Amino acid sequence: MGGPTEPWPGLCVAMASDSVNKLIIGCGYLGRRVAAEWLALGQSVAALTRSEANAAVLRRGGILPHLGDVTDPESLASLPRADTILYAVGFDRTAGRSRRDVSVDGLASVLRAINSRVVRFLYVSSTSVYGQSAGEWIDEASPAGPTQPNGQVCLEAEQLVREQLPQAIVLRLAGLYGPGRLLRRLDELKSAAPIAGNPQAWLNLVHVDDAVASVLAAEERGRPGATYLVCDDRPIRRREYYELLARLSGAPPPVFAEGDPAGRTDHRDFNKRCSNRKLREELCVRLQFPTIGEGLPDALAGVQS
């Protein structure tokens, strides 16, 4: 898994001395774990980073850092060629840029910069592109019609990838969780502050380790141009998630607010059930954490109460 790859039809590849096996654009919570797996397989891995401090951290981990920013096209001119590019750029609210600046305009800059420098392009998207809100089941064939601005930007970015790199693989991730990353901070949960949103709404989640396995499986077995939903085996109600998290962490039972005190409507639209059938059957992914029953204890392991 993750070894040398053959060029896809329609993608011209010119390998040179500035090439690597893998390039990660957005080497954060997910990207660093993917990088560790690739490094363990003996692959050379480079990553784009905005800061010298983070470059030093990447270098110590065996990753070749490239200083640059997706919102600064000039800084992308010398990105290395790569067999595989994983694009997993998150939105940093402290960066002073809008979500569209990063997710669409930044992506466009990267696509222009890499041009013929990649064999496989794996794009990490989100299930927020779906606007269904009545608890219905959805899969890759379901229409994407986001009703919230974040989802609309996400879908626009997907469409840009499809226009520029039709052979790219799109991975629509459900809510990502794992060690150091939960839907709610434990101190907030233990304070018994009311939780906004409908407790009966469905949540779709995926443990970070299973998301990593899905990325590697998509690289090895994914069909060029395909889209895959990346989620665990069982959607759960929000109440079930927070009740289990409270029991495992020693917090009081969760209390839900009648409405969002900030007047937002985002929560009411997050109410769909995502199927991972294609992920399991086509990519042959076997989840280590098929439900939160297995995943939350792992995510909380080592967390001090």
Side-chain angles (χ1 to χ4, degrees):
M1 184 178 294
T5 52
E6 295 297 325
W8 288 354
L11 288 181
C12 173
V13 181
M15 302 304 291
S17 59
D18 63 345
S19 65
V20 292
N21 299 128
K22 319 293 180 186
L23 172 62
I24 300 176
I25 311 292
C27 196
Y29 187 71
L30 173 66
R32 290 195 187 188
R33 287 166 169 80
V34 174
E37 293 295 322
W38 278 334
L39 289 168
L41 293 169
Q43 302 294 296
S44 57
V45 181
L48 181 70
T49 181
R50 291 181 295 161
S51 74
E52 290 279 4
N54 195 45
V57 173
L58 295 175
R59 196 177 291 109
R60 288 195 295 272
I63 302 169
L64 304 171
H66 178 94
L67 282 172
D69 189 322
V70 298
T71 62
D72 178 9
E74 291 185 3
S75 72
L76 307 174
S78 59
L79 281 173
R81 294 176 175 84
D83 296 331
T84 299
I85 290 181
L86 171 64
Y87 194 98
V89 174
F91 178 61
D92 181 359
R93 291 179 173 81
T94 68
R97 299 279 187 170
S98 73
R99 191 176 294 272
R100 193 180 190 285
D101 287 341
V102 175
S103 299
V104 179
D105 297 340
L107 172 62
S109 295
V110 170
L111 293 176
R112 286 192 297 269
I114 64 171
N115 195 7
S116 60
R117 300 182 187 187
V118 60
V119 180
R120 280 177 169 78
F121 190 87
L122 307 174
Y123 181 75
V124 174
S125 183
S126 165
T127 57
S128 66
V129 300
Y130 297 105
Q132 291 86 341
S133 60
E136 59 266 63
W137 281 97
I138 63 168
D139 60 17
E140 293 81 357
S142 301
T147 59
Q148 297 300 320
N150 293 353
Q152 292 164 355
V153 169
C154 194
L155 183 59
E156 187 178 353
E158 274 193 23
Q159 292 168 340
L160 180 62
V161 171
R162 289 285 176 235
E163 292 168 3
Q164 299 296 318
L165 285 179
Q167 305 282 4
I169 291 175
V170 172
L171 301 170
R172 291 174 173 167
L173 265 64
L176 192 64
Y177 77 100
R181 181 163 173 163
L182 299 167
L183 297 192
R184 190 175 181 86
R185 285 169 35 190
L186 291 183
D187 58 345
E188 294 177 342
L189 190 67
K190 292 180 179 181
S191 74
I195 301 169
N198 178 7
Q200 292 303 109
W202 292 100
L203 285 177
N204 301 275
L205 302 171
V206 63
H207 190 285
V208 65
D209 289 352
D210 289 326
V212 170
S214 299
V215 169
L216 299 182
E219 181 193 21
E220 182 178 11
R221 296 184 289 274
R223 287 185 297 105
T227 297
Y228 299 96
L229 273 172
V230 180
C231 56
D232 67 17
D233 287 348
R234 186 173 71 89
I236 44 92
R237 306 279 190 180
R238 296 180 78 241
R239 182 182 297 281
E240 180 183 352
Y241 171 86
Y242 285 108
E243 287 179 344
L244 178 58
L245 181 59
R247 288 197 301 272
L248 292 173
S249 63
V255 176
F256 290 85
E258 290 296 324
D260 189 327
R264 296 169 300 195
T265 58
D266 305 50
H267 294 297
R268 72 182 183 189
D269 293 319
F270 294 161
N271 188 28
K272 53 188 175 279
R273 287 178 284 177
C274 298
S275 168
N276 66 8
R277 181 175 179 178
K278 186 176 179 181
L279 182 79
R280 291 184 287 107
E281 295 184 354
E282 191 168 305
L283 296 186
C284 302
V285 173
R286 296 295 176 260
L287 301 181
Q288 184 179 354
F289 303 100
T291 73
I292 60 168
E294 299 83 15
L296 273 183
D298 177 83
L300 289 168
V303 176
Q304 294 181 354
S305 61

